[in-house]
Amino acid sequence: MPTRTGRRPKATTPVPARRRTVMRRSLAQTAQPTPGEDRGRTPPSVSEAPRRGRRLLIAGLVVVLAAAIAGAAITGHRWHDQQRIDDAHQEALAAARQTTVNFVSVSASTVDRDLQRVMAGATGDFQDEFKRGAPQVWAAVVENNVDSHGTVLRAGLVSGDIDSAVVLVAVDATVKNVNAPQGRLSHYRIQVDVTRDPRSGRWLVSRLQFVG
């Protein structure tokens, strides 16, 4: 029968019932999951792998930064300890040089002040010995009109730590007295033991002896 547009509808070929049944079974089998497939797992999204890679990268950076910070802390601590020891050695050298110069620099006109200056830089056995011998030194300097001035040529650290040190000092001293009014040059090598006073923090001479 012609339609309103005047065109005759296309004829459809009926599909046999047996063929329709086969097609339904084929479609049903296609929709079912294949053996071994995890039916409850949601397929990973496309962006999951990049996110996992970023997490691993961040974790690695955290580990690296933690190791770097720990290494820097250890290095800084060691540097600080070494700096303290170096500063202590410099202070010990300075104290040894100054007390040695004071020890060989004495004048009849300033003998009281000179002896007191040596006592101020002394401690322990050296202080006790110098205090006992100070009256004899005072008398000898005044009676012989002594005028001695010393100069440190060099000083070196023999051993030391944060609280004590042994220093070797080379000194030249020009000594004038009644027998040598023009002065006589003498050379001394003096070993000085210095210790840090726990109360004042000053480095003081605890032992002084001539070694050449």
Side-chain angles (χ1 to χ4, degrees), residues 60-77:
L61 288 175
V62 170
V63 171
V64 171
L65 288 175
I69 292 172
I74 293 173
T75 302
H77 183 70

Side-chain angles (χ1 to χ4, degrees), residues 7-192:
R7 296 181 181 178
R8 189 179 297 275
K10 294 182 180 180
T12 57
T13 305
V15 179
R18 183 178 181 181
R19 186 175 178 182
R20 289 198 298 272
T21 301
V22 172
M23 290 176 65
R24 291 192 192 99
R25 291 176 179 176
S26 178
L27 290 173
Q29 291 175 356
T30 303
Q32 292 179 357
T34 59
E37 183 180 357
D38 189 353
R39 299 180 183 182
R41 180 181 298 174
T42 303
S45 62
V46 176
S47 61
E48 183 177 352
R51 283 202 301 269
R52 186 182 297 111
R54 285 195 295 271
R55 287 196 296 268
L56 291 175
L57 177 61
I58 292 173
L61 288 175
V62 170
V63 171
V64 171
L65 288 175
I69 292 172
I74 293 173
T75 302
H77 183 70
R78 290 176 179 173
W79 179 87
H80 179 69
D81 288 345
Q82 186 59 49
Q83 188 63 40
R84 287 183 60 205
I85 293 175
D86 291 343
D87 291 344
H89 289 173
Q90 292 302 316
E91 293 173 4
L93 281 168
R97 291 169 62 97
Q98 186 60 59
T99 300
T100 302
V101 168
N102 293 343
F103 186 73
V104 298
S105 298
V106 59
S107 175
S109 60
T110 57
V111 62
D112 291 326
R113 186 174 60 197
D114 296 338
L115 297 181
Q116 183 58 41
R117 187 167 57 239
V118 175
M119 283 290 296
T123 189
D125 292 341
F126 175 61
Q127 185 182 58
D128 294 339
E129 292 172 3
F130 190 82
K131 188 175 182 179
R132 286 196 299 267
Q136 289 79 16
V137 173
W138 187 95
V141 169
V142 172
E143 291 174 5
N144 292 279
N145 196 26
V146 173
D147 185 19
S148 175
H149 296 279
T151 303
V152 173
L153 301 179
R154 56 189 175 275
L157 187 74
V158 177
S159 62
D161 53 31
I162 198 69
D163 294 315
S164 63
V166 178
V167 180
L168 190 62
V169 185
V171 182
D172 272 353
T174 301
V175 182
K176 297 179 180 180
N177 54 38
V178 292
N179 296 320
Q182 301 301 319
R184 182 180 61 201
L185 181 63
S186 299
H187 180 74
Y188 306 106
R189 292 176 71 246
I190 304 174
Q191 180 173 305
V192 183

